[in-house]
Amino acid sequence: YMSVGNHDGTWRSLTYELRQLYKSPYYSFDKFGCHFAVLSSAGFQHPLPAFGPEQLTWLKKDLEKVGKDTPVFVALHHPLNTTEFASRFDVDRLLDTIRPYNIVAIMYGHGHGANSGKYENFDIIQGGSTYGPGPAGYQVYSVMDGKLRVAYKDQGSEMVARKAMIEKPMTAPAKRYPTIKIDLPREGATYSGQAPVKAWIAAAKGEITGATCSLDGSKESA
């Protein structure tokens, strides 16, 4: 299963080939009781990565069919914690779309190295590279007995992935991310001068102890 990388649209875009294979440059499928959503973060002629509204609308409808307990893997080329995206809004819109669901891992490449960590409370895993500063190789994923295990296999004849990346249960978390609704400014509205900001956070009693906001990359305020 493939997705378009940042170098795959520079001279002749491979989006056409993905449409022949999957009917779209972004698509999903089910395997082993899990749902996989493969996204397209790369654009034509290697501009800044972004997610168009049509892709996010598709993803929202796709995940609604899956339900909130099914383990979901999200795959794309660019890491969400990079500063390359056209705007932070691109990343936030994607996170808002996937947060209500049981996202087991966000898988990505681009960085030519194998690593894992957390981003906005999501488990993120970078897949390694065929070349680069680190040893070439690839990640091996195991889905067994309700657990996800990921390890990195260095290039070579030995058929063992020795570098552990992550091990975790795939059950949906007991506490989910709260629902956040932005009333003002309204989507698509135009303002001159100061713009009003109004948002609501919905969760069970006692679940939220504080909140911060940041406008246009400004310092977070409580």
Side-chain angles (χ1 to χ4, degrees):
Y1 298 91
M2 292 170 281
S3 64
V4 174
N6 59 305
H7 293 296
D8 297 329
T10 308
W11 295 280
R12 184 178 82 65
S13 175
L14 295 179
T15 301
Y16 174 81
E17 277 73 12
L18 264 69
R19 288 189 182 278
Q20 301 305 304
L21 290 170
Y22 311 118
K23 310 301 182 186
S24 171
Y26 44 86
Y27 58 94
S28 65
F29 59 93
D30 297 299
K31 288 276 188 180
F32 317 114
C34 303
H35 187 72
F36 295 81
V38 182
L39 306 182
S40 176
S41 58
F44 297 117
Q45 297 304 316
H46 197 175
L48 298 176
F51 302 103
E54 69 284 351
Q55 182 171 187
L56 295 177
T57 298
W58 167 84
L59 180 61
K60 184 175 185 295
K61 292 179 179 179
D62 180 71
L63 293 178
E64 285 174 351
K65 300 174 186 176
V66 172
K68 296 186 177 182
D69 294 321
T70 299
V72 176
F73 292 80
V74 176
L76 68 163
H77 180 74
H78 294 86
L80 296 180
N81 56 357
T82 181
T83 58
E84 294 180 43
F85 275 92
S87 73
R88 174 60 195 254
F89 187 42
D90 275 286
V91 176
D92 285 339
R93 286 189 300 177
L94 174 64
L95 295 180
D96 285 346
T97 303
I98 66 177
R99 271 194 173 111
Y101 300 94
N102 181 17
I103 307 300
V104 177
I106 298 176
M107 307 179 292
Y108 60 93
H110 195 58
H112 300 281
N115 56 61
S116 61
K118 289 276 190 180
Y119 180 70
E120 297 287 347
N121 209 36
F122 290 101
D123 286 296
I124 57 175
I125 306 172
Q126 186 166 269
S129 178
T130 55
Y131 75 98
Y138 54 88
Q139 303 281 17
V140 177
Y141 283 69
S142 167
V143 174
M144 186 181 297
D145 300 327
K147 275 192 174 183
L148 169 68
R149 298 174 180 88
V150 183
Y152 190 70
K153 182 192 177 302
D154 291 343
Q155 180 185 17
S157 58
E158 186 180 20
M159 299 303 293
V160 179
R162 295 194 179 277
K163 184 179 178 181
M165 285 289 163
I166 190 173
E167 181 175 345
K168 59 178 284 188
M170 296 195 302
T171 53
K175 290 186 178 181
R176 298 186 184 273
Y177 194 83
T179 300
I180 300 176
K181 183 176 183 293
I182 298 177
D183 281 345
L184 295 173
R186 300 192 186 282
E187 185 79 19
T190 301
Y191 295 87
S192 61
Q194 292 185 335
V197 177
K198 184 178 181 181
W200 301 92
I201 302 177
K205 185 177 180 180
E207 284 190 350
I208 297 176
T209 58
T212 62
C213 69
S214 174
L215 302 177
D216 290 334
S218 65
K219 184 178 179 181
E220 289 188 354
S221 58

